[in-house]
Amino acid sequence: MRINGIRLFNQLDISTKNQIISKLGIGDTIRVQVVDKTSQSLILRLPDGTFINASSMVELNVNLGDFLDLSVNQKTDTQIFVEIVKEDGTKDLKGDEIKSKLQSIDIPVDSKSIEIAKEMIKKDIPLTKENFQKISQFIKQHQQISPEKVTFMSANEIPVNDKNIVQLEQIVQHKALVGERLNQLVEQLNKITEQVVKQSLHSEAEHENKTNQNNMLRQDTGNEQKSTVVNRENSQVPQTNINQEVASQLKNINLKLNGQNQNVHLLEQSEDEQVLSNEKKVPNEINGLKEIKSLNALVKSLFKVIDRTRADGLPQEIQADKVLRELTETLSTIKGEIESLNSDEKQGILESIQDIEDSLHFMEQLNKDTSFVQIPVNINGNNTTVELYVLKDGNKKKKIDPSNATIFLSLFTINLGRIESLVNIRGKSIECTFRSEDEEILTFIKKNSMPLYHLLDAQGYKLTNVMVQPITKSQQANITNVEQIKKQVDKKYSFDTRV
């Protein structure tokens, strides 16, 4: 349900003396910034920070600070000819133009219809009567969802239903992330471990208690055999007296756990204290404890450890389809094992796994026409989630060029809170825009960008620019609006820091 904007071209003539320009081939694109202009020439800043001159046969309708995407259509030994790729004015329709368009397709004009039309235009949905009525019907059926989100789902061919609406809302609000849910699953498995340990210790204590009571009763019976006639009432040992004797003796009983003699004062410790002090001493074989611990380790292994010494293999590890497949397969294995357990926590764990599987299924639907994934990661020993979204160009090509892409990252950290990043990759040059609600954090990032420069340099990339932007309530980025956020960043901000 898409439409690609008709392209208008302005041709530029550029010398190939610049190293980056000389490597471009026909069909390649490069993103540049206008730093100076006359009516028929431009001075452009390339991704590596160098400058080039470009001339044109026609007057150029561009402004200082604009970012342009140039596409190479011809090349000689000394020159390349590029076209300034611009979408037609569809996305910049003014209010009056939108009203006229609605009237032309027999749609009543009001604030609601204008809002829907604007969102359809932003999402590249053709503004036809049929499409408009379909979007409007979805909104009437699901009044809790905004036109922005309905058009997003429609543009990505995701069925608009209550289940998918819940999943999208969670992604938009950065809630119930995969990493958080996996942490919850680990806690639930820990509770089963705790139950097994308590049950094992309780059984051991009951067995020891019963054995000692029997020994004491035998001893009392032997002493009383000296009398030939025993009064029935006096021969019974009061239960309270037995318990007092047992309590006295149990204080010095040595219990064997894992082959080691441990002096456990059963009556002086609470049950929780016994669990904490003896959990590691309970054999794994008891009541399936070994299997539960294996499942726990399996869940923890789903968190990708972010380690700069392993950065070479990271791009392969965070591929969206690979991450989703690994999560789905592992959760299926865990579910099969959990279903065979006899535990009070069983149902809760199965429900948690189902919630994660629902999220993964939604992401799989989303990835049919885009690239978005939540990646559970471990940073400095802390588990969290990275949200990764690869922005596509106006053609909405399904195949992503890793050397010519813009990536949106959202990450919650222990010390810095939520950090958002827009990473613009052009060949081996990288520009980064960092976003945070805290101005102090942005200042810190600007002053400490050199480690990032060296890290990228070690991987063969050059960090050419670092920009920062405060996050306001109206500019909170999510998967439904990040492309508009990017355009605002490109338009408003020049390079704050040269690296």
Side-chain angles (χ1 to χ4, degrees):
M1 196 173 178
R2 296 186 172 280
I3 184 171
N4 293 328
I6 299 172
R7 303 283 183 168
L8 301 179
F9 302 100
N10 291 319
Q11 185 165 288
L12 296 176
D13 177 0
I14 301 174
S15 168
T16 57
K17 291 181 179 179
N18 180 278
Q19 185 177 9
I20 289 182
I21 296 298
S22 66
K23 293 180 179 180
L24 295 176
I26 295 176
D28 288 345
T29 60
I30 186 171
R31 189 171 177 79
V32 299
Q33 186 185 29
V34 180
V35 295
D36 199 2
K37 61 169 286 191
T38 65
S39 61
Q40 295 181 2
S41 67
L42 300 174
I43 297 179
L44 306 173
R45 176 183 286 167
L46 299 180
D48 65 350
T50 58
F51 300 90
I52 60 170
N53 292 310
S55 59
S56 172
M57 297 296 292
V58 298
E59 187 172 351
L60 300 170
N61 184 24
V62 296
N63 299 311
L64 297 183
D66 282 354
F67 286 83
L68 307 176
D69 289 318
L70 306 181
S71 177
V72 181
N73 59 6
Q74 293 184 53
K75 183 176 182 179
T76 68
D77 291 338
T78 58
Q79 291 176 306
I80 65 169
F81 299 91
V82 300
E83 295 169 333
I84 302 174
V85 183
K86 285 189 175 181
E87 295 182 354
D88 62 17
T90 304
K91 292 192 176 182
D92 297 319
L93 287 178
K94 306 300 181 182
D96 290 341
E97 294 173 300
I98 293 176
K99 290 178 183 179
S100 298
K101 182 63 177 175
L102 288 171
Q103 290 171 347
S104 70
I105 58 175
D106 295 325
I107 299 296
V109 177
D110 56 29
S111 60
K112 193 68 175 178
S113 63
I114 291 175
E115 181 183 6
I116 294 173
K118 285 181 177 179
E119 292 300 331
M120 290 176 65
I121 292 168
K122 288 179 182 178
K123 303 299 190 301
D124 286 331
I125 299 175
L127 188 51
T128 65
K129 185 173 184 177
E130 180 185 0
N131 289 340
F132 185 93
Q133 289 177 334
K134 186 181 294 185
I135 299 294
S136 298
Q137 187 62 31
F138 285 144
I139 294 172
K140 288 178 182 178
Q141 292 173 348
H142 308 280
Q143 296 183 8
Q144 75 275 27
I145 190 170
S146 67
E148 178 186 48
K149 293 166 187 171
V150 170
T151 52
F152 175 82
M153 295 175 74
S154 297
N156 287 281
E157 300 180 357
I158 298 174
V160 181
N161 55 47
D162 290 338
K163 192 172 185 178
N164 284 336
I165 289 172
V166 170
Q167 294 298 330
L168 180 60
E169 287 289 354
Q170 290 175 340
I171 289 177
V172 167
Q173 297 176 27
H174 306 288
K175 292 182 178 180
L177 302 177
V178 169
E180 294 175 0
R181 288 173 166 174
L182 290 177
N183 281 333
Q184 179 185 352
L185 188 55
V186 168
E187 292 175 3
Q188 289 173 308
L189 289 171
N190 285 339
K191 285 185 179 180
I192 293 184
T193 302
E194 182 180 317
Q195 286 179 355
V196 171
V197 172
K198 285 184 177 181
Q199 289 171 359
S200 178
L201 291 174
H202 185 68
S203 297
E204 289 280 348
E206 279 191 338
H207 176 73
E208 198 71 30
N209 189 12
K210 186 175 182 179
T211 300
N212 282 281
Q213 286 189 33
N214 290 336
N215 289 338
M216 291 174 62
L217 287 172
R218 288 194 205 98
Q219 184 177 356
D220 290 343
T221 301
N223 291 336
E224 290 181 2
Q225 285 177 348
K226 295 178 181 179
S227 302
T228 56
V229 179
V230 179
N231 182 283
R232 183 180 181 84
E233 180 179 347
N234 292 333
S235 68
Q236 288 183 334
V237 180
Q239 186 66 34
T240 54
N241 291 338
I242 291 177
N243 287 340
Q244 289 174 359
E245 288 295 325
V246 172
S248 175
Q249 294 203 23
L250 282 178
K251 289 184 179 181
N252 297 313
I253 291 176
N254 291 327
L255 300 179
K256 280 192 174 183
L257 291 174
N258 283 345
Q260 297 181 357
N261 291 329
Q262 302 293 334
N263 186 26
V264 181
H265 302 290
L266 295 174
L267 299 183
E268 290 182 345
Q269 286 183 304
S270 69
E271 191 173 14
D272 286 338
E273 288 173 333
Q274 292 175 37
V275 171
L276 292 174
S277 62
N278 291 289
E279 181 177 347
K280 294 182 179 180
K281 305 168 189 175
V282 178
N284 282 335
E285 291 76 13
I286 294 178
N287 296 329
L289 185 60
K290 182 177 181 179
E291 288 75 12
I292 298 170
K293 288 185 175 181
S294 296
L295 292 177
N296 208 325
L298 192 58
V299 176
K300 292 178 180 178
S301 71
L302 291 172
F303 288 88
K304 306 292 183 184
V305 178
I306 304 301
D307 182 353
R308 67 175 59 190
T309 63
R310 298 170 56 248
D312 287 340
L314 194 58
Q316 288 72 39
E317 290 187 27
I318 64 173
Q319 290 178 357
D321 56 346
K322 180 179 180 181
V323 171
L324 292 174
R325 184 172 60 253
E326 180 181 5
L327 286 168
T328 300
E329 292 175 353
T330 302
L331 288 172
S332 178
T333 299
I334 294 172
K335 181 190 284 187
E337 296 292 332
I338 293 298
E339 286 176 342
S340 64
L341 290 179
N342 182 19
S343 169
D344 295 339
E345 296 293 322
K346 173 181 174 179
Q347 190 57 38
I349 291 178
L350 291 177
E351 289 175 359
S352 295
I353 293 176
Q354 186 61 54
D355 287 342
I356 301 174
E357 288 179 332
D358 288 344
S359 293
L360 298 180
H361 178 64
F362 182 81
M363 280 185 263
E364 286 174 354
Q365 293 182 79
L366 195 57
N367 277 276
K368 291 177 182 178
D369 202 30
T370 186
S371 184
F372 171 81
V373 67
Q374 294 179 5
I375 306 172
V377 297
N378 182 284
I379 303 176
N380 298 327
N382 298 308
N383 290 339
T384 185
T385 306
V386 171
E387 296 175 271
L388 184 151
Y389 177 45
V390 180
L391 284 70
K392 298 187 178 181
D393 61 21
N395 289 324
K396 303 297 180 183
K397 298 175 183 177
K398 292 189 176 181
K399 186 176 181 180
I400 297 171
D401 181 0
S403 65
N404 185 22
T406 300
I407 300 171
F408 171 72
L409 296 169
S410 179
L411 170 68
F412 182 83
T413 64
I414 297 297
N415 297 321
L416 302 179
R418 181 166 298 284
I419 299 293
E420 297 176 355
S421 304
L422 277 168
V423 182
N424 195 21
I425 305 171
R426 294 293 179 268
K428 290 295 183 178
S429 298
I430 293 180
E431 302 171 3
C432 292
T433 300
F434 293 97
R435 290 162 45 87
S436 171
E437 296 177 348
D438 193 327
E439 293 279 2
E440 291 184 5
I441 291 174
L442 294 178
T443 301
F444 173 83
I445 291 173
K446 288 177 66 175
K447 291 181 178 179
N448 295 274
S449 58
M450 288 307 296
L452 179 60
Y453 173 87
H454 292 303
L455 179 62
L456 291 172
D457 185 61
Q459 303 303 316
Y461 290 92
K462 184 175 181 180
L463 180 63
T464 56
N465 301 287
V466 173
M467 300 174 279
V468 296
Q469 181 189 39
I471 300 175
T472 63
K473 189 172 182 179
S474 62
Q475 288 185 318
Q476 293 179 347
N478 60 68
I479 192 171
T480 66
N481 68 6
V482 67
E483 294 193 22
Q484 280 69 47
I485 294 288
K486 176 185 179 298
K487 290 178 181 179
Q488 293 172 10
V489 169
D490 287 349
K491 184 177 181 180
K492 185 176 180 181
Y493 285 84
S494 57
F495 303 135
D496 292 320
T497 304
R498 287 300 306 277
V499 179

